[in-house]
Amino acid sequence: MKLWLLAVGQRMPRWVDEAYADYAKRLPPETPLLLKEIKAEARSSSISAEAVMEREAQRIEAAVPTGARLVTLDERGQRLTTAALAEALQQWRQEGRDVVLVIGGADGLAPRLKQKADTLLRLSDLTLPHGLVRVLLAEQLYRAHSLISGHPYHRA
């Protein structure tokens, strides 16, 4: 099973790339975390936020591997503890399908993409910058893996 992080936006600050890569490399080879950056739609006064989200949704859908579980990050998504995320990760591994975690653009995700998702996930009640979300999600996936494997990284 592969974990795919599809993130709208490119050219993150170096600290984001370094921190994300650090956590991604800690995951085991049988469950790699792979980043695919999705080009953000150019914004202008002549295009609505809905149209921007729709164009980004089309790019996201084109990048989703066939048969993958779709998990979209959304402020109205399900709140999970780290232990609950570890349980979900364990279930996903047992399913054997790739899992795609999606971080939307500045305007969020198109409603139809969220409706299509197998899971809506909320990382925080706070509004976070997209680069930090990448790092936070990678760290939590690593923490969930360490919890499953009994590694001492997670000490709750």
Side-chain angles (χ1 to χ4, degrees), residues 45-149:
S45 58
S46 64
I47 184 170
S48 68
E50 291 78 18
V52 166
M53 289 186 293
E54 180 54 35
R55 291 178 186 172
E56 291 172 349
Q58 291 171 6
R59 292 183 187 123
I60 291 165
E61 288 172 325
V64 173
T66 303
R69 168 179 285 279
L70 185 62
V71 178
T72 57
L73 276 70
D74 183 73
E75 65 186 352
R76 290 168 213 80
Q78 180 182 9
R79 289 183 181 115
L80 295 179
T81 63
T82 299
L85 179 60
E87 288 176 24
L89 181 59
Q90 187 75 336
Q91 289 174 354
W92 297 341
R93 285 178 176 165
Q94 290 171 358
E95 284 179 8
R97 298 191 298 165
D98 285 356
V99 175
V100 175
L101 300 120
V102 180
I103 301 170
D107 294 306
L109 290 168
R112 70 174 183 79
L113 193 59
K114 291 188 276 189
Q115 290 170 353
K116 187 186 233 184
D118 296 293
T119 305
L120 285 175
L121 179 62
R122 175 187 195 122
L123 284 186
S124 174
D125 288 341
L126 303 172
T127 301
L128 303 170
H130 285 82
L132 188 56
V133 171
R134 291 183 189 191
V135 175
L136 180 61
L137 186 55
E139 191 279 337
Q140 283 299 297
L141 289 167
Y142 171 67
R143 185 176 291 272
H145 164 72
S146 70
L147 189 60
I148 291 166
S149 63

